[in-house]
Amino acid sequence: MRRGGASIQDELLIKKIKTGNQQALRLLIERYKHHVFKVTMSVLHDEKAAEDAAQETFIKMVDALPSYQHQGFKTWLGRIAFHKAIDSRRKQQRMKEDVSGPYHEYHHGQVDSAEEQVLLQERKQRIRDQIEQLPEKLQFAVRCYYLEGMSYAEIANQLDLAEKTIEVRLYRARKWMKAHWKEDDF
């Protein structure tokens, strides 16, 4: 199997980075900073948050390089960036939920009672728990599509897969859910 020049250059830089070469690390970051930003921006839609997630991606990259298995660096790095962006988005949502928690909602008439708010939170947690029961390959597609509101194309782009693959994964996930979940679970 023949690899392109960029792949060979990446492998040489990675080898140098593993020996502590900081210049090689700077070159690798420079080469992929636009790609990483594009990935994080596509999830977060906020320049500042995307920049923060991109920085976290490169920190994670350095930590994870020893486990990198030469399976396509750009794709591997893109997945790290995507996961960092999703983590950042979740953190933002949790902060919004904390700020607009039961006390805030009660005083603004959005929720009838604190009891209803607790029940709503419990239901959301049960759904999250149920999603974690799905086969791992399907969990990610389900979270992105149903919880994050991403399109098939966006998910496919982030995972560097064909859109049809995402469609099949979501079909299999729905089939699995029908077979394993009961409506009264929620």
Side-chain angles (χ1 to χ4, degrees):
M1 189 167 134
R2 198 165 169 216
R3 290 189 276 172
S7 295
I8 293 169
Q9 288 176 354
D10 291 347
E11 299 301 327
L12 290 172
L13 288 173
I14 291 166
K15 195 178 279 187
K16 288 179 180 181
I17 292 168
K18 287 180 177 180
T19 64
N21 186 319
Q22 293 298 308
Q23 181 61 25
L25 176 61
R26 282 191 287 278
L27 288 171
L28 197 63
I29 290 171
E30 186 64 31
R31 178 176 288 168
Y32 288 103
K33 69 181 182 182
H34 296 293
H35 172 68
V36 168
F37 178 77
K38 189 174 97 175
V39 170
T40 57
M41 187 66 171
S42 72
V43 173
L44 297 168
H45 308 290
D46 175 81
E47 199 169 316
K48 175 72 173 120
E51 287 174 3
D52 291 345
Q55 286 180 346
E56 290 177 26
T57 297
F58 287 115
I59 292 168
K60 174 69 175 175
M61 175 199 77
V62 171
D63 292 342
L65 266 180
S67 66
Y68 171 67
Q69 306 205 347
H70 312 285
Q71 70 271 28
F73 183 75
K74 186 175 183 179
T75 302
W76 180 78
L77 184 60
R79 286 185 179 141
I80 293 173
F82 182 70
H83 290 289
K84 284 293 175 188
I86 292 291
D87 291 345
S88 176
R89 181 188 251 179
R90 285 186 186 135
K91 188 189 292 183
Q92 289 172 350
Q93 287 173 338
R94 279 194 300 271
M95 288 172 56
K96 285 179 188 173
E97 287 174 8
D98 289 347
V99 169
S100 64
Y103 181 81
H104 178 79
E105 289 177 0
Y106 178 77
H107 288 284
H108 287 85
Q110 296 173 348
V111 174
D112 291 338
S113 71
E115 181 181 350
E116 284 181 19
Q117 180 65 30
V118 169
L119 292 173
L120 178 63
Q121 291 301 324
E122 286 175 0
R123 183 168 189 256
K124 284 181 182 178
Q125 186 58 49
R126 283 195 305 273
I127 291 170
R128 284 188 207 109
D129 293 343
Q130 290 292 344
I131 289 173
E132 289 185 18
Q133 301 304 313
L134 283 163
E136 191 171 329
K137 228 179 189 181
L138 305 178
Q139 286 181 28
F140 189 71
V142 168
R143 280 193 195 103
C144 290
Y145 186 74
Y146 290 106
L147 300 180
E148 304 295 332
M150 295 174 69
S151 70
Y152 288 8
E154 289 173 318
I155 300 167
N157 183 39
Q158 297 307 315
L159 294 177
D160 201 25
L161 295 171
E163 206 172 313
K164 188 69 174 170
T165 304
I166 301 305
E167 185 179 337
V168 169
R169 286 187 182 180
L170 287 168
Y171 169 78
R172 289 181 180 157
R174 284 188 292 273
K175 192 173 175 183
W176 192 95
M177 287 184 250
K178 286 178 185 175
H180 293 88
W181 292 359
K182 297 177 190 95
E183 198 172 322
D184 58 336
D185 286 343
F186 304 102

